[in-house]
mmCIF file of all heavy atoms in Angstrom:
data_model
loop_
_atom_site.group_PDB
_atom_site.id
_atom_site.type_symbol
_atom_site.label_atom_id
_atom_site.label_comp_id
_atom_site.label_asym_id
_atom_site.label_seq_id
_atom_site.Cartn_x
_atom_site.Cartn_y
_atom_site.Cartn_z
ATOM 1 N N LEU S 81 88.179 -41.971 65.891
ATOM 2 C CA LEU S 81 89.210 -42.863 65.447
ATOM 3 C C LEU S 81 90.487 -42.783 66.018
ATOM 4 O O LEU S 81 91.327 -43.630 66.365
ATOM 5 C CB LEU S 81 89.219 -42.742 63.995
ATOM 6 C CG LEU S 81 87.913 -43.176 63.107
ATOM 7 C CD1 LEU S 81 88.032 -42.780 61.660
ATOM 8 C CD2 LEU S 81 87.556 -44.616 63.426
ATOM 9 N N ALA S 82 90.835 -41.424 66.263
ATOM 10 C CA ALA S 82 92.142 -41.173 67.010
ATOM 11 C C ALA S 82 92.212 -41.747 68.266
ATOM 12 O O ALA S 82 93.256 -42.223 68.826
ATOM 13 C CB ALA S 82 92.439 -39.656 66.901
ATOM 14 N N LEU S 83 91.110 -41.724 69.144
ATOM 15 C CA LEU S 83 90.968 -42.238 70.543
ATOM 16 C C LEU S 83 91.158 -43.737 70.390
ATOM 17 O O LEU S 83 91.985 -44.340 71.218
ATOM 18 C CB LEU S 83 89.740 -41.812 71.092
ATOM 19 C CG LEU S 83 89.507 -40.309 71.634
ATOM 20 C CD1 LEU S 83 88.147 -40.128 71.835
ATOM 21 C CD2 LEU S 83 90.454 -40.140 72.854
ATOM 22 N N LEU S 84 90.570 -44.358 69.436
ATOM 23 C CA LEU S 84 90.683 -45.865 69.384
ATOM 24 C C LEU S 84 92.161 -46.314 69.021
ATOM 25 O O LEU S 84 92.607 -47.231 69.479
ATOM 26 C CB LEU S 84 89.719 -46.443 68.294
ATOM 27 C CG LEU S 84 88.284 -46.321 68.749
ATOM 28 C CD1 LEU S 84 87.353 -46.814 67.558
ATOM 29 C CD2 LEU S 84 87.901 -47.078 70.127
ATOM 30 N N GLY S 85 92.657 -45.459 68.038
ATOM 31 C CA GLY S 85 94.135 -45.679 67.785
ATOM 32 C C GLY S 85 95.026 -45.492 68.993
ATOM 33 O O GLY S 85 95.928 -46.227 69.083
ATOM 34 N N ALA S 86 94.752 -44.454 69.747
ATOM 35 C CA ALA S 86 95.548 -44.225 70.956
ATOM 36 C C ALA S 86 95.381 -45.420 71.953
ATOM 37 O O ALA S 86 96.448 -45.722 72.522
ATOM 38 C CB ALA S 86 95.094 -42.980 71.679
ATOM 39 N N ALA S 87 94.207 -46.080 71.998
ATOM 40 C CA ALA S 87 94.138 -47.176 72.886
ATOM 41 C C ALA S 87 94.974 -48.398 72.461
ATOM 42 O O ALA S 87 95.302 -49.169 73.299
ATOM 43 C CB ALA S 87 92.707 -47.589 73.016
ATOM 44 N N CYS S 88 95.354 -48.418 71.201
ATOM 45 C CA CYS S 88 96.158 -49.461 70.606
ATOM 46 C C CYS S 88 97.642 -49.033 70.497
ATOM 47 O O CYS S 88 98.444 -49.788 69.878
ATOM 48 C CB CYS S 88 95.593 -49.897 69.351
ATOM 49 S SG CYS S 88 93.915 -50.530 69.401
ATOM 50 N N SER S 89 98.065 -47.806 70.958
ATOM 51 C CA SER S 89 99.388 -47.446 70.645
ATOM 52 C C SER S 89 100.403 -48.304 71.237
ATOM 53 O O SER S 89 100.416 -48.588 72.357
ATOM 54 C CB SER S 89 99.534 -46.005 71.422
ATOM 55 O OG SER S 89 98.669 -45.052 70.775
ATOM 56 N N PRO S 90 101.389 -48.640 70.367
ATOM 57 C CA PRO S 90 102.534 -49.464 70.900
ATOM 58 C C PRO S 90 103.738 -48.794 71.581
ATOM 59 O O PRO S 90 104.528 -49.412 72.250
ATOM 60 C CB PRO S 90 102.965 -50.052 69.687
ATOM 61 C CG PRO S 90 102.927 -49.078 68.583
ATOM 62 C CD PRO S 90 101.556 -48.374 69.048
ATOM 63 N N SER S 91 103.704 -47.530 71.492
ATOM 64 C CA SER S 91 104.800 -46.736 72.085
ATOM 65 C C SER S 91 104.372 -45.336 72.417
ATOM 66 O O SER S 91 103.372 -44.838 71.940
ATOM 67 C CB SER S 91 105.965 -46.563 71.031
ATOM 68 O OG SER S 91 105.711 -45.929 69.854
ATOM 69 N N LEU S 92 105.190 -44.518 73.146
ATOM 70 C CA LEU S 92 104.938 -43.267 73.507
ATOM 71 C C LEU S 92 104.932 -42.171 72.345
ATOM 72 O O LEU S 92 103.939 -41.423 72.373
ATOM 73 C CB LEU S 92 105.857 -42.756 74.667
ATOM 74 C CG LEU S 92 105.661 -41.216 75.121
ATOM 75 C CD1 LEU S 92 104.295 -41.226 75.868
ATOM 76 C CD2 LEU S 92 106.688 -40.838 76.073
ATOM 77 N N PRO S 93 105.816 -42.285 71.367
ATOM 78 C CA PRO S 93 105.749 -41.288 70.227
ATOM 79 C C PRO S 93 104.444 -41.487 69.448
ATOM 80 O O PRO S 93 103.865 -40.512 69.181
ATOM 81 C CB PRO S 93 106.862 -41.728 69.421
ATOM 82 C CG PRO S 93 107.900 -42.239 70.507
ATOM 83 C CD PRO S 93 107.078 -43.006 71.322
ATOM 84 N N VAL S 94 103.996 -42.735 69.366
ATOM 85 C CA VAL S 94 102.724 -42.898 68.603
ATOM 86 C C VAL S 94 101.481 -42.240 69.312
ATOM 87 O O VAL S 94 100.617 -41.668 68.943
ATOM 88 C CB VAL S 94 102.464 -44.398 68.325
ATOM 89 C CG1 VAL S 94 101.176 -44.577 67.730
ATOM 90 C CG2 VAL S 94 103.621 -44.874 67.393
ATOM 91 N N LEU S 95 101.535 -42.597 70.645
ATOM 92 C CA LEU S 95 100.405 -42.134 71.616
ATOM 93 C C LEU S 95 100.544 -40.514 71.531
ATOM 94 O O LEU S 95 99.400 -39.946 71.551
ATOM 95 C CB LEU S 95 100.638 -42.570 72.942
ATOM 96 C CG LEU S 95 99.579 -42.242 73.979
ATOM 97 C CD1 LEU S 95 98.181 -42.552 73.570
ATOM 98 C CD2 LEU S 95 99.887 -42.815 75.410
ATOM 99 N N ALA S 96 101.743 -39.919 71.558
ATOM 100 C CA ALA S 96 101.788 -38.466 71.609
ATOM 101 C C ALA S 96 101.278 -37.863 70.296
ATOM 102 O O ALA S 96 100.583 -36.898 70.367
ATOM 103 C CB ALA S 96 103.121 -38.139 71.862
ATOM 104 N N ALA S 97 101.561 -38.574 69.179
ATOM 105 C CA ALA S 97 101.100 -38.069 67.889
ATOM 106 C C ALA S 97 99.569 -38.153 67.776
ATOM 107 O O ALA S 97 98.926 -37.134 67.300
ATOM 108 C CB ALA S 97 101.712 -38.814 66.697
ATOM 109 N N LEU S 98 98.999 -39.238 68.306
ATOM 110 C CA LEU S 98 97.593 -39.320 68.285
ATOM 111 C C LEU S 98 96.963 -38.441 69.231
ATOM 112 O O LEU S 98 95.776 -37.869 68.973
ATOM 113 C CB LEU S 98 97.223 -40.763 68.518
ATOM 114 C CG LEU S 98 97.538 -41.711 67.416
ATOM 115 C CD1 LEU S 98 97.251 -43.250 67.926
ATOM 116 C CD2 LEU S 98 96.497 -41.509 66.270
ATOM 117 N N SER S 99 97.559 -38.111 70.354
ATOM 118 C CA SER S 99 97.095 -37.222 71.353
ATOM 119 C C SER S 99 97.025 -35.758 70.734
ATOM 120 O O SER S 99 96.077 -34.920 70.943
ATOM 121 C CB SER S 99 97.940 -37.039 72.595
ATOM 122 O OG SER S 99 97.841 -38.288 73.309
ATOM 123 N N LEU S 100 97.948 -35.498 69.878
ATOM 124 C CA LEU S 100 97.987 -34.164 69.210
ATOM 125 C C LEU S 100 96.760 -34.032 68.222
ATOM 126 O O LEU S 100 96.040 -33.048 68.125
ATOM 127 C CB LEU S 100 99.412 -34.053 68.431
ATOM 128 C CG LEU S 100 99.438 -32.672 67.707
ATOM 129 C CD1 LEU S 100 99.554 -31.448 68.601
ATOM 130 C CD2 LEU S 100 100.643 -32.706 66.751
ATOM 131 N N MET S 101 96.444 -35.133 67.598
ATOM 132 C CA MET S 101 95.387 -35.260 66.562
ATOM 133 C C MET S 101 94.095 -35.104 67.436
ATOM 134 O O MET S 101 93.144 -34.485 67.034
ATOM 135 C CB MET S 101 95.401 -36.510 65.833
ATOM 136 C CG MET S 101 94.263 -36.621 64.854
ATOM 137 S SD MET S 101 94.262 -38.348 63.919
ATOM 138 C CE MET S 101 95.864 -38.228 63.147
ATOM 139 N N ILE S 102 93.917 -35.828 68.608
ATOM 140 C CA ILE S 102 92.758 -35.872 69.349
ATOM 141 C C ILE S 102 92.391 -34.398 69.746
ATOM 142 O O ILE S 102 91.359 -33.865 69.714
ATOM 143 C CB ILE S 102 92.841 -36.746 70.556
ATOM 144 C CG1 ILE S 102 92.974 -38.198 70.076
ATOM 145 C CG2 ILE S 102 91.763 -36.499 71.616
ATOM 146 C CD1 ILE S 102 93.388 -39.144 71.157
ATOM 147 N N GLY S 103 93.503 -33.773 70.415
ATOM 148 C CA GLY S 103 93.294 -32.360 70.790
ATOM 149 C C GLY S 103 92.940 -31.382 69.802
ATOM 150 O O GLY S 103 92.028 -30.508 69.963
ATOM 151 N N THR S 104 93.433 -31.508 68.569
ATOM 152 C CA THR S 104 93.097 -30.642 67.462
ATOM 153 C C THR S 104 91.666 -30.759 67.024
ATOM 154 O O THR S 104 90.998 -29.943 66.704
ATOM 155 C CB THR S 104 94.033 -30.978 66.260
ATOM 156 O OG1 THR S 104 95.435 -30.824 66.826
ATOM 157 C CG2 THR S 104 93.735 -29.958 65.153
ATOM 158 N N SER S 105 91.247 -32.117 66.920
ATOM 159 C CA SER S 105 89.863 -32.246 66.301
ATOM 160 C C SER S 105 88.749 -32.209 67.316
ATOM 161 O O SER S 105 87.577 -32.186 66.888
ATOM 162 C CB SER S 105 89.868 -33.701 65.676
ATOM 163 O OG SER S 105 90.158 -34.717 66.561
ATOM 164 N N THR S 106 89.120 -32.247 68.578
ATOM 165 C CA THR S 106 87.946 -32.280 69.717
ATOM 166 C C THR S 106 87.548 -30.924 70.044
ATOM 167 O O THR S 106 86.876 -30.710 71.070
ATOM 168 C CB THR S 106 88.505 -33.013 70.823
ATOM 169 O OG1 THR S 106 87.369 -33.405 71.594
ATOM 170 C CG2 THR S 106 89.385 -32.222 71.794
ATOM 171 N N VAL S 107 87.724 -29.869 69.255
ATOM 172 C CA VAL S 107 87.342 -28.371 69.512
ATOM 173 C C VAL S 107 85.858 -28.229 69.155
ATOM 174 O O VAL S 107 85.545 -27.239 68.516
ATOM 175 C CB VAL S 107 88.279 -27.421 68.839
ATOM 176 C CG1 VAL S 107 89.685 -27.531 69.336
ATOM 177 C CG2 VAL S 107 88.376 -27.773 67.302
ATOM 178 N N VAL S 108 84.944 -29.259 69.351
ATOM 179 C CA VAL S 108 83.608 -29.060 68.973
ATOM 180 C C VAL S 108 82.907 -28.123 69.894
ATOM 181 O O VAL S 108 81.925 -27.408 69.521
ATOM 182 C CB VAL S 108 82.885 -30.360 68.796
ATOM 183 C CG1 VAL S 108 83.630 -31.362 67.795
ATOM 184 C CG2 VAL S 108 82.831 -31.134 70.013
ATOM 185 N N ALA S 109 83.212 -28.083 71.122
ATOM 186 C CA ALA S 109 82.499 -27.141 72.094
ATOM 187 C C ALA S 109 82.543 -25.637 71.670
ATOM 188 O O ALA S 109 81.616 -25.001 71.694
ATOM 189 C CB ALA S 109 83.138 -27.277 73.437
ATOM 190 N N PRO S 110 83.756 -25.059 71.203
ATOM 191 C CA PRO S 110 83.821 -23.738 70.858
ATOM 192 C C PRO S 110 82.999 -23.536 69.492
ATOM 193 O O PRO S 110 82.709 -22.344 69.178
ATOM 194 C CB PRO S 110 85.299 -23.404 70.607
ATOM 195 C CG PRO S 110 85.987 -24.403 71.407
ATOM 196 C CD PRO S 110 85.109 -25.656 71.263
ATOM 197 N N ILE S 111 82.633 -24.505 68.801
ATOM 198 C CA ILE S 111 81.869 -24.504 67.513
ATOM 199 C C ILE S 111 80.434 -24.535 67.922
ATOM 200 O O ILE S 111 79.624 -23.871 67.291
ATOM 201 C CB ILE S 111 82.232 -25.488 66.572
ATOM 202 C CG1 ILE S 111 83.640 -25.338 66.029
ATOM 203 C CG2 ILE S 111 81.326 -25.501 65.307
ATOM 204 C CD1 ILE S 111 84.174 -26.491 65.232
ATOM 205 N N ILE S 112 80.075 -25.368 68.888
ATOM 206 C CA ILE S 112 78.643 -25.472 69.351
ATOM 207 C C ILE S 112 78.154 -24.238 69.876
ATOM 208 O O ILE S 112 77.031 -23.848 69.596
ATOM 209 C CB ILE S 112 78.459 -26.713 70.308
ATOM 210 C CG1 ILE S 112 78.737 -27.921 69.551
ATOM 211 C CG2 ILE S 112 77.166 -26.609 70.934
ATOM 212 C CD1 ILE S 112 78.834 -29.214 70.449
ATOM 213 N N GLY S 113 78.936 -23.629 70.697
ATOM 214 C CA GLY S 113 78.369 -22.300 71.366
ATOM 215 C C GLY S 113 77.990 -21.140 70.393
ATOM 216 O O GLY S 113 76.756 -20.724 70.505
ATOM 217 N N PRO S 114 78.735 -20.879 69.452
ATOM 218 C CA PRO S 114 78.182 -19.884 68.425
ATOM 219 C C PRO S 114 77.061 -20.320 67.694
ATOM 220 O O PRO S 114 76.143 -19.468 67.369
ATOM 221 C CB PRO S 114 79.478 -19.559 67.591
ATOM 222 C CG PRO S 114 80.563 -19.823 68.378
ATOM 223 C CD PRO S 114 80.190 -21.113 69.318
ATOM 224 N N PHE S 115 77.074 -21.686 67.386
ATOM 225 C CA PHE S 115 75.909 -22.299 66.447
ATOM 226 C C PHE S 115 74.698 -22.013 67.302
ATOM 227 O O PHE S 115 73.545 -21.660 66.752
ATOM 228 C CB PHE S 115 76.220 -23.704 66.267
ATOM 229 C CG PHE S 115 75.109 -24.484 65.534
ATOM 230 C CD1 PHE S 115 74.693 -24.275 64.376
ATOM 231 C CD2 PHE S 115 74.525 -25.470 66.255
ATOM 232 C CE1 PHE S 115 73.641 -24.917 63.686
ATOM 233 C CE2 PHE S 115 73.556 -26.177 65.693
ATOM 234 C CZ PHE S 115 72.981 -25.908 64.464
ATOM 235 N N VAL S 116 74.670 -22.497 68.449
ATOM 236 C CA VAL S 116 73.378 -22.422 69.317
ATOM 237 C C VAL S 116 73.084 -20.989 69.529
ATOM 238 O O VAL S 116 71.782 -20.672 69.634
ATOM 239 C CB VAL S 116 73.588 -23.111 70.650
ATOM 240 C CG1 VAL S 116 72.472 -22.952 71.558
ATOM 241 C CG2 VAL S 116 73.864 -24.580 70.573
#
Side-chain angles (χ1 to χ4, degrees):
L81 293 177
L83 285 164
L84 293 178
C88 303
S89 295
S91 64
L92 181 62
V94 175
L95 179 59
L98 288 168
S99 295
L100 183 67
M101 182 184 301
I102 293 166
T104 304
S105 60
T106 199
V107 290
V108 299
I111 296 173
I112 288 173
F115 170 70
V116 172

